[in-house]
Amino acid sequence: MRGVNLDDGASRGGDEQYGGVGQTRTRLPERAGDVYGGARRGRSSSRSLVTVVGVVVLLIAAIAFANRGGGDSSSDSGDNKPNTSATAASGTRPVKSKSSGIPSGFAHDQQGAASAAANYAVVLGSDGMFNEESRHSIVDAIYTPTAAGKLQSPMDQAYSTDFLAKLGLDANGNAPAGSTFVSRTVPVGTRSTHYTPDNAKVSVWYMGLIGMSGQGSIDPVSSTWKTWNFDLQWLDGDWKIVRDSQTDGPAPVPGDDKAATSDEISKAIEEYGGFTYAR
């Protein structure tokens, strides 16, 4: 998702390529026997992952477009330039409670809306979206009832058995024995483009991780950079998603880091938990 909404990165190669204005240098691990270092990632498998994951992204975008103009969102002011507000650290605790592991009870102010958007991006980009039961719980918890009702069935169709199989998962979203499926969203910052006590628009710039870590994996875990745009409504004492969409980037220039082995990635996923995000 990201989460459901996370596209795979560009295909990796073991060679150094130079040409035109840009330069690309890919440094792979030297440990023998590991698919992350011993085998070149094929373009076909990379493009396949981009395609199947992109299905969900396009689906949600289409639904959001079809649902726009509803009575539960506010109109923007006549000014063509939005009154934006960049993330500024404040140390304010985002929430005091969680519901089924999902942060809830955000503050009824602009900062609370920004915190809600960041945390919702994390939840929607998690591996929980690949299991039907947990996905239903997530959608019901963070979307308005109207939006959730329109999303559940199309999402179930998008997360079909065939779709999961293309990612290497079984019908319940589980990875094969000995492998670890990774799907995470890591917010870098938020930007508020509109705010009233009833409605807010917040964009979350994030790095996503997606792929299968394990021996024989043809789609190793890779990173992607995107921006998640949320329309939020204050409803029943909390911020809820009315609609959302994603855009690519902005992506920084890749560094010269050595790619980790599958064992190192799997261990890191098990040992390092996520955060509750706030300003």
Side-chain angles (χ1 to χ4, degrees):
M1 318 204 207
R2 263 182 184 147
V4 63
N5 308 317
L6 304 179
D7 291 299
D8 188 25
S11 301
R12 292 192 176 98
D15 302 327
E16 293 186 350
Q17 300 176 349
Y18 300 90
V21 177
Q23 297 181 356
T24 300
R25 180 171 59 182
T26 303
R27 183 178 179 183
L28 296 174
E30 301 172 355
R31 184 177 301 181
D34 192 283
V35 65
Y36 282 59
R40 179 173 298 182
R41 184 177 183 179
R43 289 184 178 272
S44 60
S45 63
S46 177
R47 290 174 179 172
S48 297
L49 185 55
V50 170
T51 300
V52 295
V53 176
V55 169
V56 181
V57 177
L58 294 175
L59 171 66
I60 295 179
I63 294 174
F65 180 83
N67 293 339
R68 66 177 180 169
D72 52 0
S73 63
S74 66
S75 60
D76 293 330
S77 64
D79 191 354
N80 292 328
K81 294 183 179 180
N83 183 18
T84 62
S85 176
T87 302
S90 68
T92 301
R93 185 174 181 178
V95 294
K96 296 181 180 179
S97 62
K98 291 187 178 183
S99 177
S100 300
I102 302 174
S104 61
F106 293 93
H108 191 189
D109 54 24
Q110 188 171 9
Q111 181 169 305
S115 295
N119 284 283
Y120 292 165
V122 171
V123 175
L124 288 171
S126 70
D127 55 8
M129 291 294 291
F130 295 82
N131 173 270
E132 182 176 338
E133 183 177 353
S134 63
R135 181 173 64 252
H136 283 194
S137 297
I138 290 171
V139 172
D140 285 338
I142 66 178
Y143 284 86
T144 65
T146 300
K150 294 177 179 179
L151 281 172
Q152 293 289 20
S153 179
M155 276 193 173
D156 288 344
Q157 295 178 30
Y159 285 97
S160 65
T161 301
D162 290 342
F163 169 78
L164 296 175
K166 290 176 181 178
L167 297 176
L169 305 172
D170 64 18
N172 294 317
N174 298 316
S179 297
T180 301
F181 177 65
V182 180
S183 181
R184 284 195 182 186
T185 299
V186 184
V188 177
T190 63
R191 183 173 67 108
S192 298
T193 58
H194 174 78
Y195 176 79
T196 70
D198 296 324
N199 298 275
K201 293 179 181 292
V202 182
S203 295
V204 181
W205 180 34
Y206 73 89
M207 182 188 72
L209 300 175
I210 190 168
M212 188 74 72
S213 176
Q215 297 295 330
S217 171
I218 60 173
D219 285 303
V221 179
S222 62
S223 61
T224 183
W225 290 85
K226 289 184 176 293
T227 300
W228 213 323
N229 308 297
F230 293 96
D231 282 15
L232 304 173
Q233 179 185 7
W234 184 257
L235 183 66
D236 297 331
D238 211 348
W239 291 106
K240 302 292 184 180
I241 304 172
V242 176
R243 61 181 64 87
D244 60 302
S245 63
Q246 293 198 59
T247 55
D248 292 334
V253 176
D256 194 24
D257 302 312
K258 184 176 73 172
T261 66
S262 60
D263 289 342
E264 290 170 337
I265 289 292
S266 297
K267 184 178 180 181
I269 292 298
E270 294 172 358
E271 294 182 346
Y272 292 87
F275 296 96
T276 299
Y277 287 84
R279 290 179 59 181

